[in-house]
Amino acid sequence: MWCPQEYYSWNRVLTYLFDQSGQIISLLAVGGEPPLGRDGERRLIHTAEYYLTSRGLANNYKEAELVIGVLTSIVMVNFIEEFPPLLAGINGAILSADDVIFAHKDQLDCCRLDWPLKDQAEFMGFFKYAELGGFDTNALFDRFAFIDGYTGRIVLKNGAGIFLRNGLGLDDIEVKSVTEAVRSLSGFSVCWSSFPEAQELRDFLSCIEVNEAFTKVLDYEFGPPSERLADDRKNIRQKRVGRPPKKDKAAQVYWTCFPEGHAAQGKSWKEALASVNENLTVPVSAITLKRAVGPVQ
């Protein structure tokens, strides 16, 4: 809930992305642009929850808020990948950290995105749990593995080891190393030293531009993407949504080097990492590579 002066706090960024996600969802619900008012002007006069429920895209306001929360979480996960945050200590220390510190337990960066969200297999569990009364938007934000969803502070949560071992495929030594690092960083706040300008933000949001409906909404609300991205829209849509360039490239190189996995060539993870980094402009860590390729036999 705090950050160094002139920095952008977790709450500030998350709130902004939540508001923008609500605007995007409102426009998706009404067909891409606001309806005409009596004065001939186009404007949204209701909340996203209203548009979702009134058009049958959510059963009630609570479910509608969760729809917004799911999109916000996807955008936030991608935002963290595209604009890596820093960690600020109360004593004034500013640190950078490996991306495993900012991981989401549901690995939303590996999920496909489509519309409507509640009909997607990847997200149906969220809505089922919400119906049972044990899940809401705040719970979704708190599923960042080591980030308190409300305060943005680093915390060591229950089940961290299980997530690192079963979710990210880390070995026991790596799990211990990450756990100790998180424990030492406990209390640090997630923050950003800057925030993207309008065109940079629009280009970033191309990560959720998966069909013409999203394109229409994003172009209406934020303007067109830069010329570079406009020419590459087809490729963007063909990529797995949430897959940032760094991990995508690492996975591509890995599978080129090891079509059947590195173990099939008698290589260790350390040796595989060395081979991958030899072919990357920007090297990645072992944890990042494991997150990129997923479980490998």
Side-chain angles (χ1 to χ4, degrees):
M1 299 181 69
W2 63 273
C3 66
Q5 189 174 4
E6 298 183 0
Y7 277 58
Y8 293 79
S9 69
W10 168 269
N11 298 83
R12 184 176 178 183
V13 171
L14 183 60
T15 298
Y16 176 81
L17 295 181
F18 185 88
D19 291 343
Q20 295 305 312
S21 295
Q23 189 78 352
I24 290 168
I25 282 175
S26 293
L27 291 169
L28 285 169
V30 300
E33 58 184 16
L36 285 171
R38 293 180 180 179
D39 57 1
E41 296 292 328
R42 293 188 179 277
R43 63 172 63 90
L44 295 171
I45 60 175
H46 298 292
T47 64
E49 290 87 346
Y50 171 85
Y51 290 119
L52 287 171
T53 55
S54 65
R55 285 160 173 76
L57 297 170
N59 292 326
N60 50 58
Y61 270 46
K62 183 177 180 180
E63 184 176 87
E65 186 181 76
L66 185 56
V67 172
I68 303 169
V70 170
L71 183 60
T72 303
S73 297
I74 294 171
V75 173
M76 179 58 118
V77 166
N78 280 277
F79 189 89
I80 288 172
E81 292 281 1
E82 184 71 16
F83 308 105
L86 298 169
L87 300 179
I90 196 70
N91 61 353
I94 303 292
L95 308 174
S96 60
D98 192 273
D99 59 1
V100 69
I101 301 295
F102 310 113
H104 194 279
K105 288 183 177 180
D106 301 297
Q107 301 192 62
L108 299 175
D109 50 332
C110 297
C111 294
R112 287 188 176 274
L113 177 63
D114 208 338
W115 183 255
L117 293 178
K118 63 173 293 187
D119 293 341
Q120 284 188 248
E122 294 93 331
F123 311 129
M124 283 182 177
F126 298 148
F127 296 97
K128 179 180 179 180
Y129 296 142
E131 286 181 7
L132 298 175
F135 196 80
D136 59 17
T137 301
N138 289 330
L140 181 62
F141 293 155
D142 207 39
R143 287 184 62 75
F144 281 91
F146 304 110
I147 304 173
D148 181 88
Y150 180 68
T151 65
R153 296 178 66 185
I154 299 298
V155 293
L156 185 60
K157 301 180 181 180
N158 293 333
I162 295 174
F163 166 70
L164 292 171
R165 188 174 292 104
N166 298 337
L168 300 186
L170 305 189
D171 59 34
D172 290 341
I173 294 176
E174 291 168 323
V175 169
K176 181 179 179 181
S177 177
V178 172
T179 301
E180 290 178 350
V182 172
R183 185 177 288 112
S184 69
L185 293 170
S186 181
F188 274 69
S189 292
V190 178
C191 59
W192 288 261
S193 60
S194 62
F195 194 81
E197 299 291 337
Q199 186 62 65
E200 190 177 13
L201 181 66
R202 170 61 184 92
D203 287 351
F204 156 69
L205 288 172
S206 291
C207 70
I208 62 171
E209 189 177 336
V210 294
N211 57 38
E212 293 296 337
F214 277 86
T215 296
K216 185 176 181 179
V217 165
L218 293 172
D219 286 354
Y220 179 88
E221 185 66 16
F222 301 97
S226 64
E227 184 175 344
R228 175 181 61 83
L229 284 182
D231 292 340
D232 202 35
R233 267 177 167 166
K234 183 178 180 181
N235 291 333
I236 291 171
R237 291 176 189 164
Q238 290 176 342
K239 288 176 61 177
R240 180 162 52 179
V241 170
R243 192 77 163 191
K246 182 173 69 173
K247 288 201 300 182
D248 190 57
K249 184 62 176 177
Q252 180 183 9
V253 170
Y254 175 88
W255 291 115
T256 298
C257 294
F258 309 105
E260 298 180 1
H262 61 277
Q265 297 185 23
K267 301 286 186 178
S268 66
W269 268 113
K270 183 177 180 179
E271 292 171 319
L273 176 66
S275 297
V276 169
N277 280 334
E278 286 179 359
N279 295 280
L280 291 176
T281 303
V282 179
V284 299
S285 67
I287 291 173
T288 297
L289 179 61
K290 289 185 176 184
R291 289 191 66 200
V293 302
V296 177
Q297 299 298 325

